[in-house]
Amino acid sequence: MSSPTPQLISPVQLPSIQLPGLGPVLLALLPNSGPTVGGNTVTLFGLGLAGTTSVLFGGASATIVGQDPLGLTVTVQPPAHAAGSVLVTATNGAGTTNPVSYTYVVTAPPATPTAAAIIPPTGPTTGNTPFIIAGSSLQNGTVTFGLTPATVLGTDPTGTVLFGITPAGPAGGGNVPVTVTTPGGSASVPGGYTYVPPAPVVTGTLTPVTAAAGSTFSIAGAQLFGATVLFGATPASGVAVNLAGTALTGTIPPGISGSTVAVTVQTAGGTVSAGSFTYL
């Protein structure tokens, strides 16, 4: 017994819905108004709109972005136009619709943001600190700390408070400008934001522990960025810190031969002892 020959099934073609004896009919626009710059989304509702090839807003062509196969809707982006009412028509192979009114309106430009304060105004160089910025018109804002973008979590409904998370800052700490940018412009936070590095750490003591003034010394540790080294109350000169912040060198300042002084390391993160030193 032979098997039946399979039959190919053609795709179903949905007929366009339209009134008998009439061409395409335009019933409504949603929304029926929009900005003078155009580019917003407008949906045309009607009958027999399938295959629409042209939609005119006051004689100017809109961009067709979609239409349903039943001919009930066409989605367009209107062209720019001066403020006022215009007539909208759609055209396909069956003809041109009746006109329906659409109103172009002038939209106010977005307000310029203001930024009055950031809370807290300081935080660790590692970042990841929650912050708020108080101001106005902060909706849709981005925030930079120096040149580094922060993570913006959102704003309150009035746009007077913006919530975010700080990015990491300079390894040695310091103050950076904070800028809020919205579609309406930019605003700087007075005083910016100050990154505070971790407290310095000294591993062991300085080398050497006894020498003449003018000799070179070294100190090993961590978080030594931006360090000042004091021999007693006198700062050393030529202090240089490696890129990792784990070692520094400098020149021993003048002192009294035979005297012993305390050596301390100071950074923006705090002060730590590096032991004592005896002048030859």
Side-chain angles (χ1 to χ4, degrees), residues 3 21 31 34 42 56 60 71 96 133 136 138 166 198 204 209-210 216 238 244 250 254 262 273:
S3 301
V42 175
L56 301 181
T96 298
I133 293 176
S136 63
L138 301 176
T166 63
V209 294
T210 181
T216 298
S273 172

Side-chain angles (χ1 to χ4, degrees), residues 200-205 218-224 242 244-248:
V201 175
V202 169
T203 305
T205 58
S218 63
I219 296 174
Q223 303 298 333
L224 300 177
N242 69 355
T246 57
L248 61 79

